[in-house]
Each structure stands twice: as C-alpha cells, then as structure tokens.
Amino acid sequence: TTLEMLGELRRTIAYPRLRFPEELQAEIIETIFAISHVITPSESVDVIENDPSDNKILECALSADADFIISGDKDLLKLKNFRSIEILTPDEFLVKGIKNEDI
C-alpha cells in the first residue's frame, strides 16, 4: 500500500454512515499498517479517465511488482489486466486460488 491509500482508508472508515467507533477505526488502520508493505510509487500512470484517483492503485501495484489487484471497483475491473497484473474481484481471485494452488 501507499501512505496516500492508507489516508484514503482512514477517511473512508471515518464516514459517519459507517458508524465505526474510533477505537475500531484505529484498530483497522493499525492492522492494515502492520501487515502491509508501505511503498512510494515509482511511476505515475494516467489510465483510468473515469476516476483518475484509481490510478494510484495501478501505480502502487506496479511499484510493488504485484501479480494481482483484488477489487470491486468497476473502473479497475474493466481493465481486466494492466501490464502483467491481473485485476479480479474477490470471488474471482478465490476461485482462481482454488484452481491454482501456486497462488
């Protein structure tokens, strides 16, 4: 992940409609931070015109040399893949993992 993406997560889980207590918000951020590798993207891309903020996901995946992007975002999913990175829904990824024990 990137610091920018962690910031977006922090803002998102603080939305009043989610009603997450502050303690839970802090726990979520701490857990994600603890299990993540925080990187600085080494390349900017301008691929997703409909929602340019989604380009940061592609930049992070490229810099992290990721094999997959797991997302429910429609603009990302339309791409199906980006360079050699497959873009899948969580369900698609789980099915792929069951079929391919090497993931």
Side-chain angles (χ1 to χ4, degrees):
T1 191
T2 65
L3 290 177
E4 182 181 6
M5 292 167 64
L6 285 171
E8 182 175 343
L9 175 61
R10 175 171 282 168
R11 287 186 300 278
T12 300
I13 63 176
Y15 288 160
R17 71 174 182 262
L18 294 179
R19 298 183 187 163
F20 288 169
E22 286 186 28
E23 301 82 29
L24 178 58
Q25 293 175 40
E27 186 177 323
I28 291 169
I29 293 299
E30 288 170 15
T31 300
I32 296 297
F33 188 78
I35 64 171
S36 297
H37 297 280
V38 178
I39 62 166
T40 301
S42 57
E43 179 180 351
S44 293
V45 298
D46 188 18
V47 176
I48 301 176
E49 295 177 11
N50 209 29
D51 187 359
S53 68
D54 286 343
N55 287 309
K56 69 178 163 274
I57 306 298
L58 300 174
E59 294 166 355
C60 179
L62 281 173
S63 296
D65 197 27
D67 295 320
F68 300 97
I69 294 173
I70 313 305
S71 178
D73 184 274
K74 292 177 182 144
D75 293 314
L76 286 170
L77 291 168
K78 282 181 195 175
L79 295 175
K80 299 193 191 284
N81 63 64
F82 178 68
R83 299 196 187 162
S84 61
I85 304 167
E86 282 188 77
I87 303 172
L88 305 168
T89 66
D91 287 343
E92 291 169 335
F93 181 73
L94 290 173
V95 168
K96 186 175 190 76
I98 291 169
K99 291 180 180 176
N100 183 356
E101 298 285 328
D102 296 332
I103 293 180

